Amino acid sequence: MTAATTTGLVAYEDAVRRYDPVLGIEVHVELGTLTKMFCAAEVAYGGEPNTQVTPVSLGLPGALPVVNGKAVEYAIRIGLALNCTISENCRFARKNYFYPDVPKNFQTSQYDEPIAFDGWIDIELDDGAVFRVEIERAHMEEDAGKNTHVGGATGRIQGAEYSLVDYNRAGIPLVEIVTRPIEGAGERAPEVARAYVQTLRDIFRTLDVSEARMERGNVRADVNLSLRPSPESPLGTRTETKNVNSFRSIERAVRYEVSRQAGVLDAGLPVIQETRHFHEEDGTTSSGRVKSDAEDYRYFPEPDLVPVAPSREWVEEIRATLPEMPVARRRRLQTEWGYADAEMRDVVNAGAIELIEATVAAGTSAAGARKWWMGELARRANQDEVTLEDLTVTPAQIAQLQGLVESGRINDKLARQVLDGVLAGEGDPEAVVVSRGLEIVSDDGPLLAAIDDALAAQPDIVEKVRGGNQGPVGAIIGAVMKATKGQADAKRVRELVLDRIGS
């Protein structure tokens, strides 16, 4: 194991020129049910440790599980959205292993009979190219609890003084989606991995089966990667980088593992089949444990649960309720909104599609909605290190703000001050305009007074303009805008200034 971790890295471009990367991605999504997979314990984020538990989720002797019907429905919805075949008869199995966050010493999962299998999805890459990813299976299971390792420098069990276990998460319904080997990505393997998980996240949200917030662990990806000399060669030995929970980290993990494994192979050493940990701070991975194979878990059918046999009528009823999928929806919205390809990609990457769609539905133009969400609001979100949807402003408020601009009651500069008030909790844009007195001065009387003062203060500019050079008139307009604290229509000021000088 040490030999594989002490070799040097190969430059990514060199590595993908000489080796063919093959991906395999396992994505876990926590389902947004009210209760857990096999008991009536509440599912809620952020509760006090060990308060959302029952004898079943704690694995107490004699406690019997009952399958959550809504979780089965959500699993079927996911399977259908991934173009899978839905099993007519499937069952749960016990995946046996010991770890403190698994109170029963086994995880109730599915093994050889998953709820959904043999599917595919098409993903769009940054340049619009379409790449198909084949799905081997999507199966139901329960989540484990959460270990917190106290003491030490890394937050991991190595070097910790002691560990705490919170079983609130134990038993939350999961669907795990497993790809077949993803071949043919070549140098774009990191982008393909990121786009695939991002597409899944969008599908989960579209189906309304999960909040799908990666920062909360609602969606977690295990990224398998192997290298081989050429696409015609047998698959190489894979590593599995566990629980990568951001799109950027998925790309970085793939790039690092390609460079690391190329260094191992160049040194004439074998790649070790193992799990690895991704380190956000520097984009590296480190060795975890030797990877277990399926037989190591001693799977056997769960004796306390009957098989799940969704009727074909129920499956078709669910299929009929599926919404428009994200890729098709993006293409339709791009056509409706008139966005260029690059503009739409920026909107997608910023997670702003739903926000812009809701803003347009609230009555503003697609161009106006994009101006705010991808401009000033994106700047503020980046400044505060939050997502756009975390900002305390609604699409309806942005539509109202843009309406005030288009009606001429405020200009863009004043609108940013109005936005300050909205974000500060002072009310809707209309209320902020009134309370802060930000409406544009539309009475020519005060404007003419400010113009006369500016003309008297800059007689040399007046003479230049009278001589036919209108370039310097901007200085007069600027002085008037300053005097009116920006609450004047610059176009109207220009008209009045030229009229005043001409007369």
Side-chain angles (χ1 to χ4, degrees), residues 99 147-164:
Y99 206 62
N147 291 319
T148 301
H149 306 297
V150 182
T154 64
R156 300 189 185 281
I157 193 170
Q158 295 84 357
E161 297 177 16
Y162 58 91
S163 298
L164 301 173

Side-chain angles (χ1 to χ4, degrees), residues 343-357:
E343 290 175 332
M344 195 64 183
R345 282 197 296 272
D346 288 345
V347 168
V348 171
N349 292 336
I353 284 185
E354 287 80 10
L355 295 168
I356 290 177
E357 185 177 27

Side-chain angles (χ1 to χ4, degrees), residues 407-484:
S407 68
R409 291 180 59 189
I410 57 175
N411 54 33
D412 279 346
K413 182 178 180 180
L414 291 171
R416 286 190 286 274
Q417 296 181 49
V418 174
L419 190 56
D420 289 337
V422 174
L423 291 170
E426 297 174 19
D428 288 340
E430 176 77 34
V432 175
V433 167
V434 173
S435 64
R436 291 196 176 194
L438 294 174
E439 194 158 354
I440 283 177
V441 177
S442 57
D443 184 353
D444 286 351
L447 288 181
L448 289 172
I451 289 169
D452 288 342
D453 288 343
L455 294 176
Q458 304 183 71
D460 54 331
I461 292 180
V462 174
E463 290 305 316
K464 289 179 182 178
V465 176
R466 280 183 177 154
N469 180 8
Q470 292 194 4
V473 77
I476 301 292
I477 297 172
V480 174
M481 296 300 291
K482 183 177 180 180
T484 59

